[in-house]
Amino acid sequence: MNLFLNYLVVAALFALVLLPTGLGIARERRIDRQLRDAARGEAEPTETESAARPVTAARRPHLRIWVRV
């Protein structure tokens, strides 16, 4: 049983060491894919391009009670 737990601890530490590397590789591949699509002209529309109308700030008339202008 101790041998199994030792192997389990080594495997967990190995996974913890390789996790940042795996995440970095995945991030680099995503960035490369975005750059390749942008070079081809197949970029995804951004939120501002696909928005129907711009978002405006909401008026808060109740705040004017406390503020003397």
Side-chain angles (χ1 to χ4, degrees), residues 23-66:
L23 293 175
I25 290 172
R27 181 175 181 261
E28 289 293 324
R29 291 188 66 182
R30 179 180 53 87
I31 291 171
D32 289 342
R33 185 173 57 245
Q34 288 176 345
L35 288 173
R36 190 170 46 247
D37 290 346
R40 289 185 197 151
E42 301 173 1
E44 299 176 359
T46 60
E47 291 181 15
T48 56
E49 293 174 354
S50 63
R53 58 187 166 92
V55 178
T56 58
R59 293 185 50 146
R60 299 180 191 152
H62 62 277
L63 292 179
R64 291 187 188 185
I65 296 170
W66 300 98

